[in-house]
Amino acid sequence: MSVLGFLPLLSRILFRKSHPWAAGPAFSYAPNIYQKVCHNGGWIQESGSQNRQNDQQDTSSSCLGKIIMGDTSVTDASSAVGVDSFLSSAVKDLFVTAISACRASNNPGFAQRVVIRDPDGSIGLDFTKMAKMLRGDLPNMISSDIDEISGSFNNPASKYSSFGYFKRLHSIIGPLVREVFHCAKNTSAAIIAPRLIWTERADVLVEAFDLCCSPLPDKVSVLLALQTTTCAVERALGNVIVSAGAGSIPFLLKDILGHPVLLEVFGEVPITLLTALMGPPSSLNLRNLAWHGFLSPEDIVPEWVVFIVIVLSSIRPFADLCSLGSEILQPRSSLQYKADMYPQHFQLYMNGLDMRSLGEDLFRAFQTAPVPVQSKPVWTRIAEEMVSNKSSWTALQLLLPQFETILRIVFARVNKQEFRVLTAEILAVNVGSEENGIRSVLGDKYLIFLLDLLIYPKGPRIRHRISHGEVDEQHCPIYLINAVIVAVIGVLAKVSSHEQSSSLDRIIQHYEPQFHPVDELRRKYQSFLSSLRTLEAWPTIAGYSRSIRTEEAFSAAFCAVDNGAGSSWFAMLGNTLRDCPFESLYRPASECPVTKLIHSIIDNADLSVVNIGEFLRIRHSTYVKDGSIPRQSESNYLSLIQLLPPLIQAWMETFLQTLWLFQRVQREPDHPEMARFLTWLRKTLQVWQNVGKLSASYRNDWPKVLSWLARLSPPPTRQFAQVRPLPGGHHVVRE
């Protein structure tokens, strides 16, 4: 079937105004199902659980507003939001217990017997002695129930997953935390640094230790120290698991702490202590609460940061081996972002932004934005870091959790579900049967920018990767830092009375999506078309061949795909691709298999173009160099050129057919012929996989290439039956 017949059909489908999808959402939302953007490629995954909007009752609809404005008159204990923080009542109660225990003066003897003071002035913990003491204070808790304490916390029936267990544990280890902090103030960080080498983040941990041991540590700096310490711990523990050859690293820190390798290497006590501070949600859960923006500077104490560092440095046999240069540990290198992750013009623009001006814009923006009063010192510190050009990295680390908090607040407000500020699915597609109001507040362009920057797997995922210790300061490009700041300023301007800089808004309004599979598919079509254009411009071999048959055949190959109007098919395909919408925002999961198959088809078809172009280039350069063409070589060359018309026809048809089918599926994700579409795509993929292999330079099996091309067929849908030929080879769609 000629490719000409597909253009009118594709145009009809793309631009027919009677379809509601052309002006509205790409699909309808199912009631009582909440959908979210997954890490599975950015597709919308329907969850089997019901929307949680009815699980809690909003007992105080104005509570969130009062917290933001600093009103401390909210006293309703049943409210899901605390008075002075975003911690639930159960978590807040645990924090109060833990802080009180580490600042009380009871039971000093227990703590003093466990703390080790070395002659060089360093301190540590005697885990063996501590285990014996804890067995006396907590019968059966470490000896017989260690699997439940240090293992997986996924079992909801486990009594050790309760807040009660961790409250009891913190009431016992609290004096130890206090004693360690007291001794640490007289300890030089340089002394304990060698015992932290095994973490590969010794510099970060030493800096946090020094800061928290200072006489009057700044509360915002303590929050930053907690963030950097917890992500360093997670990275270090993951390195130990990898070095032991124990397979993949668990995704969650609580599961990393429960890994049997860590229990074997470190022992029971240090794992129990770290779990009490950074374990499951029923523990202090410091890493998650800090990096997701639930903690304010008033919620934490420096004692916890110092205690974590001392626990890590006290794992003596392991730490001493690493400090002596042992190869027992094979740490993972920090992630390095690809230089071409974003287009060059985007990087140049972001790199050219002035940090001082951005800091001033940010300071003005958060003054009228819904920033909780207890978080304003953090925002002020961020702006100061930027305006003074002290450290954009520090500003970014503090900014990411605060930005997430702002998005949660906006989500809770616009959807009138303020109790969900604790657990909101910020970028969920819908809330119950209603569309997520955050989309109407921010607009699609800002959502696309945020999803690319923070969520999609092939994007930078900068919050995730920094918070899990995958990226350090040396490997985070300034243009990404500036991109986050631009996004934050834009969102703050959307939800406040601040007027954003037109230049900053313009960069987002003109931003082209990059990292959703749909956007990647669009670029693959463009690459495929570019490869085809290289064949169109291929030089002839006039003057070198024994006859003019070769040159004539080569020219005829391109005449065969001319539309008779004097314009090239390549230009027409480019125009068609340019006019096709590629919707990537909140796409349904049913599109995923179709898009993946088309990805593979275009990849393999493009490979065949590259293979044949390479073969032509080699042959052509050989003939030019030798000044003549051997008869047998000319025959093979002529065979390939005579194959070009059906090949070019197949390339064009595959380009248009898959593009047509993709647009059809985007319009109707639940198309009744979806199963037949997938079958056709798999058969088409098989053809191009074989053509790609057979056209490789070491094969050049042209007869088999032709036999495979003969297996191509149009998509199995009735619309293609409406395409009929006209005299002269032209095709139209029957109305």
Side-chain angles (χ1 to χ4, degrees), residues 94 137-169 275 280-283:
L94 177 61
D137 288 340
L138 299 175
N140 302 321
M141 194 159 281
I142 288 189
S143 56
S144 62
D145 294 329
I146 189 63
D147 289 339
E148 290 183 281
I149 292 176
S150 300
S152 172
F153 287 85
N154 289 328
N155 180 8
S158 172
K159 61 182 178 180
Y160 300 118
S161 296
S162 67
F163 284 103
Y165 162 67
F166 284 106
K167 284 180 67 176
R168 188 180 177 194
L169 183 57
T275 300
S282 52
S283 71

Side-chain angles (χ1 to χ4, degrees), residues 95 110 122 140 151 192 205 213 234 280 333 372 432 446 480 484 517 566 582 622 681:
F95 268 65
F110 159 73
S122 64
N140 302 321
I192 65 169
L205 295 171
C213 287
E234 180 175 359
S333 58
Y446 275 83
L480 279 181
V484 172
F582 282 77
T622 301
L681 288 171

Side-chain angles (χ1 to χ4, degrees), residues 193-205 232-233 235-237 239-240 309 312-313 318 322 329 331:
R195 294 196 176 102
L196 295 171
I197 291 176
W198 69 271
T199 65
E200 289 294 312
R201 293 287 191 275
D203 55 339
V204 172
L205 295 171
V233 170
R235 186 71 173 176
L237 298 182
N239 286 339
V240 175
V309 174
L312 296 178
S313 68
F318 186 74
C322 294
L329 190 64

Side-chain angles (χ1 to χ4, degrees), residues 525-587:
Y525 272 115
Q526 293 169 343
S527 175
F528 184 31
L529 192 55
S530 298
S531 299
L532 289 172
R533 286 185 181 276
T534 62
L535 288 184
E536 183 187 30
W538 190 256
T540 63
I541 56 172
Y544 298 100
S545 61
R546 295 176 184 275
S547 71
I548 63 170
R549 291 184 305 143
T550 305
E551 184 178 352
E552 289 177 343
F554 199 87
S555 300
F558 292 97
C559 292
V561 293
D562 191 276
N563 66 1
S567 62
S568 168
W569 265 107
F570 301 103
M572 185 173 293
L573 289 177
N575 293 335
T576 302
L577 181 62
R578 182 195 62 204
D579 294 336
C580 285
F582 282 77
E583 301 293 339
S584 62
L585 186 60
Y586 292 148
R587 301 306 305 166

Side-chain angles (χ1 to χ4, degrees), residues 261-371:
V261 165
L262 297 184
L263 183 62
E264 180 181 352
V265 173
F266 295 156
E268 303 168 0
V269 174
I271 293 299
T272 302
L273 296 176
L274 292 175
T275 300
L277 293 163
M278 298 178 291
S282 52
S283 71
L284 285 182
N285 196 18
L286 291 176
R287 184 261 162 213
N288 283 349
L289 292 177
W291 277 103
H292 287 287
F294 289 105
L295 292 180
S296 74
E298 301 296 330
D299 293 321
I300 59 175
V301 291
E303 285 92 328
W304 291 336
V305 177
V306 173
F307 188 71
I308 292 172
V309 174
I310 294 301
V311 169
L312 296 178
S313 68
S314 299
I315 307 171
R316 289 298 173 87
F318 186 74
D320 290 343
L321 278 175
C322 294
S323 67
L324 294 173
S326 171
E327 296 182 359
I328 188 174
L329 190 64
Q330 299 173 2
R332 297 162 290 165
S333 58
S334 295
L335 176 72
Q336 297 188 37
Y337 287 116
K338 294 180 180 178
D340 60 348
M341 171 168 279
Y342 276 95
Q344 193 65 28
H345 70 274
F346 179 85
Q347 295 188 35
L348 289 173
Y349 181 89
M350 288 298 175
N351 280 330
L353 294 175
D354 179 60
M355 184 62 67
R356 180 184 180 88
S357 298
L358 289 176
E360 292 172 350
D361 280 344
L362 183 69
F363 184 81
R364 287 191 293 268
F366 84 75
Q367 298 299 321
T368 56
V371 173

Side-chain angles (χ1 to χ4, degrees), residues 394-446:
T394 296
L396 178 66
Q397 289 177 298
L398 288 171
L399 183 59
L400 288 169
Q402 300 304 318
F403 184 36
E404 186 172 335
T405 298
I406 291 296
L407 290 175
R408 273 199 308 271
I409 292 172
V410 174
F411 175 95
R413 277 187 168 184
V414 299
N415 293 296
K416 295 181 174 60
Q417 296 192 355
E418 295 181 350
F419 61 88
R420 292 190 67 190
V421 73
L422 295 181
T423 58
E425 300 279 358
I426 302 171
L427 298 177
V429 176
N430 61 321
V431 182
S433 59
E434 301 295 328
E435 181 177 310
N436 185 352
I438 203 169
R439 184 174 187 177
S440 62
V441 172
L442 300 184
D444 285 1
K445 282 293 186 178
Y446 275 83

Side-chain angles (χ1 to χ4, degrees), residues 12-13 37 66 108 148 216 303 348 441 541 572 635 668:
R12 261 183 70 202
I13 290 175
V37 177
K66 291 181 178 181
E148 290 183 281
L216 292 173
E303 285 92 328
L348 289 173
V441 172
I541 56 172
M572 185 173 293
S635 176
E668 299 180 71

